[in-house]
Amino acid sequence: MAESDNIVVETAEKIFADLADPQTINNDKKNSWQAPLWQALSEAGLPLSWVPDDLGGSGASLADGFALLNAAGRFAVAVPLAETMLAGWLLAQAKIASPEGEMTVLPASPKDRILLDADGALSGRARGVPFAKAAKHFAVLAHGKDGVSVALVDATKARIETGLNVGYDHSDTVTLNKVQPTAIKPASKGFDQTTMMLMGGVVRSLQIAGALESMLDISVRYSNERVAFEKKISKFQAVQHNLARLAGESAAALAAATSAADAIANAKSFDDAVYLEAAAAKIRCAEAAEKGGAIAHQVHGAIGFTMEHILHRYSMRALAWRDDFGSESHWAVELGKLVANRGADELWPLVASR
Amino acid sequence: MTAALRFDPIRLPEKCEQLRKEVRAFLAEEIAAGTFDPHKPNREDTDAPEFSRRVGAKGWLGMTWPKKYGGQERSFLERYVVTEEMRVANAPTRRFFVADRQSGPVLLKYAPEHIKMDILPRICRGEICFAIGMSEPNSGSDLFAAKTRATKTDGGYLINGTKIWTSSAHIADYMIAIFRTSQPTKENRRHGLTQFLVKMKQPGIKVNPIGQITGQYEFNEVVFTDFFVPDDHVLGEVDGAWKQATSELAYERSGPERFLETYYVLTELVRAVGPDPDTRSAEGIGRLVAQLHTMRRMSVSVAGMLQAGKEPVVEASIVKDIGTVWEQQLPHRVRDLAAFVEETATNRETLERQLDFAIKTAPKLTIQGGTTEVLRGIIARGLGLR
Ligand SMILES: Cc1cc2nc3c(=O)[nH]c(=O)nc-3n(C[C@H](O)[C@H](O)[C@H](O)COP(=O)(O)OP(=O)(O)OC[C@H]3O[C@@H](n4cnc5c(N)ncnc54)[C@H](O)[C@@H]3O)c2cc1C
């Protein structure tokens, strides 16, 4: 894992190392680690990193927040840190102050719609909402007659059907039935659901890349410990080649995700170039999660298939994160349409614009 | 801890974008003048000598080298832009590319001054072509099994043996080759090879063309019989070429040419599919573009490392591994998707012709410049497994 010289990331990594050590929390069947971890993160102001001071947050830069989420991926952090950061960011788009406590965003899929009716009430269903069960508030993007609005909703006013993703984290269905928001404002000009999905997709990409870095790390380590046929398995060429491919997938995921994050952090708007970066990152990171995760499990043999071992904390979350804010299939279709629509001779200029 | 793999999101500076425009304008003029057809990657490069000179005249060869040798002292990132625009346009670069990428940098590092002053400016002007003499009939991946002998004689060496798969040897003016100057030692089986500058087109060298399955002639067998090389044509350390050969390869392994060799079929697919694709085509194109974009970002990142004076051996190997596997699969994925293209697509014939050629090209992509298996061995070493 790369050492960071970024103070936000350093703070986060220290908290993760102290309170979210993957082996310790994996052994803790009662999840009693969650509350102290969340408290420490909150005290350090990390969940509201992307919320400006005047709206109740700690006003970190987009870039620092992205780096923090990459680190969270390296620890496969299973509290709604990314979700709360995204929610705070979304609320800040409409200058709505963030409350304290866990939050998440609605909708979490490009196909779902929350509608704003004429009396200012919100209705609609959002599936696969990460950590909805743990959230005290939802940051909602809603479509009304006059365009897109951002709203803050008290979670107790929603109906929540709980579900779990393949990583055993909450992925719930949230239904709003004529719910009056706590606050609501029009989104800033040009902001729409696609913007939110691209942002969410990049967040997930960074987490997947982080998880892959850790999978590479623990797989290399394991291969240097496990002995078979009187040799460390790391000495078998077939194993080495598998690990080299895992390194390639991890590197590709990291390159795609950090490039997209960098693009968003430095762009004036979510233009075509950012669209390419963000969509490509989600597609490529999802592919890397599939290929890389399979290799990590292969190298670990049966032990990696147990609940006792920490590998699943990374591998299954990386697979689960593929589904949030648009799967790779969704983004591939959308990106393919964009490319086709611009025409063959514009493809290279689009790619080479970055 | 595993070796940390970082691929920082390097952005090409503004002056690269300016340069890109110049390169595109130049290539458009060349295409208009009929120098080459960008839609025909399989043509023979008949006009290439003049094209090389015109590229040289633009200052786009030896771009990063010192001015006193004819270079421009520009950055690796600027060179990167020129390389990728040439590649994407299917420009006839074979004559100058090896010299620009690889042979020139080797001379810069290891040749005596008078040779540098003589040869490097000519490379920059696009006047001369280089070949790389590493492989032999029984020495490919295992470079250190090379047997072609360089025997010390008065004022130089006599060369006897055979190089093989030597790209462009039939048109090359020079070759940079490794020859055996002494036997390997017990402690170091890599010992005993020396790098030489060889002047081609002289008695004692016979170049025999070898046909490729694409129908082209690109590489050759090169037979040396009592061929004389003078002492001042030794490059670097006698018996110590292994160190030189391995660092040379970082330049060969991460550039845009390592994932763009079959790129043209993707453009042609997008053209055939048209502005309103069905879901399957859209998804297929979207995935390929996402993969392409990611590789390019990795490759630019490695160019940034080279610019910063690093030796990113592992990172470059990763880019070549992923890049060549991708460019090898690309024609097959495009073929899958092209099955649903309308019969009436105006470029259908071009697409089919290109696919035919790209499918025949594909098998070599993961072999040239070091096989996938060899690269994965290097990556594994970088991970601390060997
Ligand atoms: C189009 C083209 C252009 C070329 N141009 C040049 C050139 O200009 N100059 C030049 O010197 N060479 C050139 N080459 C040669 C190229 O560098 C060699 O083909 C390459 O290094 C592989 O060597 P080989 O063909 O002898 O295969 P081999 O080394 O015999 O390999 C055969 C197979 O065995 C595998 N293998 C071998 N050793 C190992 C190992 N230790 N572990 C795992 N797998 C192994 C290889 O990966 C490969 O899959 C060119 C090749 C091609 C295809």
Side-chain angles (χ1 to χ4, degrees):
Chain A
M1 288 172 209
E3 298 297 321
S4 174
D5 50 10
N6 174 321
I7 181 78
V8 177
V9 177
E10 265 176 35
T11 309
E13 282 186 328
K14 180 150 191 337
I15 295 173
F16 297 149
D18 290 348
L19 298 170
D21 168 60
Q23 190 64 63
T24 313
I25 62 187
N26 200 48
N27 296 344
D28 176 359
K29 301 293 174 253
K30 293 199 193 105
N31 286 341
S32 54
W33 52 274
Q34 275 175 350
L37 173 62
W38 184 259
Q39 195 186 336
L41 291 170
S42 301
E43 279 165 11
L46 298 174
L48 298 183
S49 290
W50 279 334
V51 176
D53 302 334
D54 57 343
L55 295 174
S58 49
S61 67
L62 276 175
D64 284 354
F66 283 134
L68 156 60
L69 288 166
N70 185 219
R74 289 200 289 274
F75 284 83
V77 168
V79 291
L81 173 63
E83 292 72 16
T84 305
M85 281 174 66
L86 265 176
W89 172 82
L90 177 59
L91 294 170
Q93 298 305 308
K95 307 251 180 314
I96 297 175
S98 281
E100 274 186 25
E102 295 90 334
M103 294 194 278
T104 190
V105 290
L106 309 184
S109 152
K111 297 270 183 287
D112 289 338
R113 282 275 175 287
I114 305 293
L115 299 176
L116 170 63
D117 71 19
D119 341 329
L122 299 169
S123 298
R125 187 182 64 159
R127 291 161 297 183
V129 179
F131 288 101
K133 194 78 176 65
K136 301 203 168 47
H137 290 92
F138 301 136
V140 181
L141 192 91
H143 290 81
K145 174 164 80 22
D146 301 322
V148 187
S149 295
V150 176
L152 178 65
V153 168
D154 187 333
T156 57
K157 295 188 175 165
R159 184 154 65 84
I160 301 174
E161 295 154 67
T162 64
L164 292 178
N165 65 24
V166 295
Y168 293 101
D169 288 332
H170 267 284
S171 175
D172 311 311
T173 300
V174 178
T175 308
L176 303 181
N177 189 4
K178 293 192 188 308
V179 170
Q180 285 294 336
T182 312
I184 184 160
K185 285 191 189 162
S188 57
K189 202 165 155 286
F191 192 97
D192 60 14
Q193 189 157 322
T194 303
T195 317
M196 187 176 114
M197 293 299 148
L198 291 169
M199 183 73 175
V202 170
V203 165
R204 286 298 190 246
S205 299
L206 288 160
Q207 290 174 286
I208 291 174
L212 277 162
E213 279 182 81
S214 291
M215 284 191 256
L216 173 63
D217 198 44
I218 63 176
S219 301
V220 165
R221 237 182 306 158
Y222 184 71
S223 77
N224 276 324
E225 287 161 8
R226 174 71 173 167
V227 172
F229 300 96
E230 296 160 5
K231 287 205 270 194
K232 290 177 185 172
I233 59 168
S234 63
K235 298 299 165 204
F236 292 108
Q237 198 179 49
V239 174
Q240 291 178 353
H241 285 197
N242 270 344
L243 288 169
R245 281 173 52 225
L246 171 55
E249 292 303 312
S250 169
L254 191 66
T258 52
S259 181
D262 174 75
I264 291 177
N266 292 301
K268 289 189 193 69
S269 66
F270 279 68
D271 59 7
D272 274 5
V274 169
Y275 192 104
L276 166 71
E277 291 259 8
K282 189 74 199 295
I283 297 164
R284 190 62 185 86
C285 287
E287 291 177 349
E290 178 187 325
K291 290 189 200 160
I295 295 170
H297 274 280
Q298 189 69 18
V299 170
H300 277 85
I303 188 120
F305 195 61
T306 63
M307 282 308 246
E308 275 68 27
H309 198 279
I310 58 171
L311 177 58
H312 69 89
R313 296 198 68 82
Y314 303 104
S315 62
M316 293 299 128
R317 280 198 177 83
L319 294 179
W321 287 332
R322 296 178 303 175
D323 294 328
D324 302 335
F325 310 108
S327 68
E328 66 272 34
S329 303
H330 167 81
W331 286 116
V333 170
E334 295 302 311
L335 180 58
K337 283 186 193 160
L338 176 104
V339 165
N341 197 263
R342 290 172 57 121
D345 295 325
E346 288 304 310
L347 170 56
W348 178 249
L350 175 67
V351 171
S353 70
R354 311 304 304 145
Chain B
M1 271 301 122
T2 319
L5 296 168
R6 293 235 63 97
F7 283 86
D8 291 334
I10 303 282
R11 299 284 167 204
L12 298 174
E14 186 48 43
K15 64 179 168 192
C16 284
E17 296 314 317
Q18 185 51 41
L19 174 60
R20 188 187 297 287
K21 285 193 197 123
E22 289 168 33
V23 180
R24 283 185 186 161
F26 167 79
L27 290 169
E29 269 173 39
E30 292 288 327
I31 292 164
T35 307
F36 65 97
D37 179 347
H39 302 295
K40 283 193 180 150
N42 56 336
R43 68 177 177 265
E44 296 294 332
D45 294 341
T46 43
D47 285 328
E50 282 67 41
F51 179 76
S52 294
R53 287 198 176 83
R54 289 195 291 272
V55 174
K58 283 283 179 186
W60 295 336
L61 297 178
M63 284 177 82
T64 61
W65 308 349
K67 288 198 170 140
K68 72 166 171 171
Y69 302 126
Q72 304 288 326
E73 300 182 7
R74 296 177 83 162
S75 71
F76 277 97
L77 297 173
E78 287 168 277
R79 181 179 171 275
Y80 190 95
V81 166
V82 175
T83 307
E84 65 179 1
E85 289 298 325
M86 295 269 174
R87 183 68 262 168
V88 164
N90 271 323
T93 58
R94 189 181 311 148
R95 220 163 237 283
F96 60 76
F97 192 62
V98 164
D100 177 68
R101 175 181 70 187
Q102 215 161 325
S103 314
V106 170
L107 294 177
L108 262 177
K109 233 172 160 173
Y110 301 111
E113 186 63 22
H114 71 278
I115 290 189
K116 287 195 221 177
M117 288 307 285
D118 172 29
I119 295 183
L120 294 173
R122 289 195 280 145
I123 295 180
C124 294
R125 290 198 297 269
E127 291 169 5
I128 46 178
C129 173
F130 268 76
I132 299 165
M134 294 215 194
S135 302
E136 295 183 14
N138 290 307
S139 159
S141 305
D142 184 8
L143 190 60
F144 307 107
K147 285 204 169 56
T148 297
R149 264 177 305 117
T151 314
K152 190 73 189 97
T153 181
D154 259 3
Y157 292 81
L158 284 180
I159 314 297
N160 281 287
T162 302
K163 290 287 169 187
I164 202 166
W165 322 132
T166 323
S167 298
S168 305
H170 57 304
I171 53 170
D173 303 284
Y174 292 94
M175 171 195 283
I176 290 183
I178 52 160
F179 300 129
R180 185 153 292 289
T181 35
S182 59
Q183 290 309 306
T185 59
K186 258 217 184 85
E187 303 74 50
N188 186 1
R189 66 178 294 271
R190 301 166 157 218
H191 174 87
L193 293 171
T194 304
Q195 213 167 17
F196 289 87
L197 173 67
V198 173
K199 192 156 193 263
M200 303 287 287
K201 298 173 184 161
Q202 292 192 84
I205 301 186
K206 194 160 183 306
V207 176
N208 303 316
I210 303 173
Q212 300 178 340
I213 58 178
T214 53
Q216 295 178 306
Y217 288 106
E218 257 178 24
F219 57 28
N220 308 269
E221 178 192 57
V222 183
V223 183
F224 296 91
T225 315
D226 281 337
F227 177 78
F228 179 76
V229 180
D231 278 331
D232 64 357
H233 282 43
V234 171
L235 300 174
E237 193 185 326
V238 173
D239 291 340
W242 80 88
K243 291 179 225 149
Q244 294 160 223
T246 42
S247 74
E248 178 185 332
L249 291 169
Y251 292 100
E252 194 183 336
R253 287 183 173 160
S254 63
E257 72 275 18
R258 290 306 182 199
F259 54 90
L260 290 174
E261 192 155 341
T262 55
Y263 167 78
Y264 48 84
V265 294
L266 179 55
T267 317
E268 237 32 60
L269 174 69
V270 174
R271 203 183 310 286
V273 157
D276 190 19
D278 61 69
T279 307
R280 188 177 188 274
S281 306
E283 195 205 341
I285 290 169
R287 279 191 189 254
L288 290 169
V289 170
Q291 293 157 357
L292 167 67
H293 164 77
T294 302
M295 256 150 10
R296 183 174 172 283
R297 299 297 303 135
M298 296 171 87
S299 176
V300 170
S301 189
V302 174
M305 297 177 207
L306 289 172
Q307 179 61 28
K310 298 182 190 152
E311 276 196 31
V313 177
V314 177
E315 289 85 349
S317 301
I318 286 178
V319 174
K320 185 185 182 258
D321 178 15
I322 295 187
T324 56
V325 168
W326 186 80
E327 62 179 4
Q328 182 169 73
Q329 289 173 348
L330 177 63
H332 299 285
R333 295 292 76 75
V334 168
R335 176 183 167 275
D336 275 351
L337 298 167
F340 295 91
V341 165
E342 299 291 338
E343 282 302 326
T344 52
T346 49
N347 66 332
R348 187 166 188 102
E349 213 180 299
T350 308
L351 176 60
E352 280 174 4
R353 186 162 35 79
Q354 289 192 355
L355 270 176
D356 179 87
F357 183 66
I359 284 169
K360 287 177 187 153
T361 304
K364 74 162 183 165
L365 298 171
T366 49
I367 297 170
Q368 58 190 10
T371 65
T372 304
E373 290 76 10
V374 166
L375 294 168
R376 288 181 185 166
I378 295 170
I379 300 165
R381 191 182 301 284
L383 293 173
L385 303 174
R386 303 177 59 189

